[in-house]
Amino acid sequence: MDSTNIDLPGSKIVSVSKDGDNVRVRFEPAYLIKIMTGSVERTRWWQNGDLVITNANIEDELPTLPADCTGGDVGENVYTYRDMVPVPLESAGYAHCALKVEGSDAVVRVSGDGVKLELEEVPKYIEHIRPE
């Protein structure tokens, strides 16, 4: 099965904003890794978009943004994704994120009752990643 994930380390978080009852974590760019069934190679792409947590609260003071993400967790219900976000992602139920950024001890920490990933346009190709 083919799969696509956002690779959180290296993706750039440019803002975290309230949008009504929702919180938007804006990536410009998010780096995607695509894996094709039967291939040992992966491909790297970039795409802008938002991780939207619905009926959400920002739980801590935010770090200074924009900043490069160094990793973290995105969770939906019983699943927690470490250092990645599956594409597509849309789920109702408990949702949270705890994203670390370069140069700060502060964490982007948000929780709510649903999560969805809203990516813009189409991904742009960067490179093939070959096994060493």
Side-chain angles (χ1 to χ4, degrees):
M1 179 169 128
D2 296 350
S3 68
T4 302
N5 300 308
I6 290 177
D7 195 15
L8 287 172
S11 292
K12 185 175 288 279
I13 301 172
V14 295
S15 66
V16 177
S17 60
K18 284 290 273 183
D19 179 14
D21 292 332
N22 302 332
V23 172
R24 291 181 169 273
V25 179
R26 177 80 182 159
F27 291 94
E28 286 184 10
Y31 291 108
L32 288 77
I33 302 295
K34 293 187 178 198
I35 302 167
M36 293 180 55
T37 303
S39 176
V40 295
E41 294 182 356
R42 300 175 298 153
T43 54
R44 186 171 164 90
W45 305 72
W46 70 269
Q47 192 171 13
N48 295 335
D50 296 316
L51 178 69
V52 180
I53 299 183
T54 58
N55 295 313
N57 293 307
I58 299 170
E59 296 181 3
D60 292 327
E61 190 168 324
L62 294 171
T64 301
L65 298 173
D68 288 340
C69 184
T70 59
D73 295 336
V74 173
E76 48 112 0
N77 295 302
V78 298
Y79 300 101
T80 299
Y81 305 104
R82 169 101 0 116
D83 294 339
M84 56 83 77
V85 181
V87 177
L89 175 64
E90 186 166 359
S91 179
Y94 177 68
H96 64 92
C97 72
L99 305 175
K100 300 175 278 185
V101 298
E102 194 171 271
S104 177
D105 291 332
V107 174
V108 174
R109 198 176 305 276
V110 180
S111 66
D113 68 6
V115 62
K116 62 183 170 179
L117 190 58
E118 295 179 351
L119 296 174
E120 298 172 354
E121 300 178 1
V122 296
K124 279 78 170 179
Y125 174 79
I126 299 173
E127 65 183 341
H128 269 70
I129 303 169
R130 292 177 172 84
E132 295 184 21

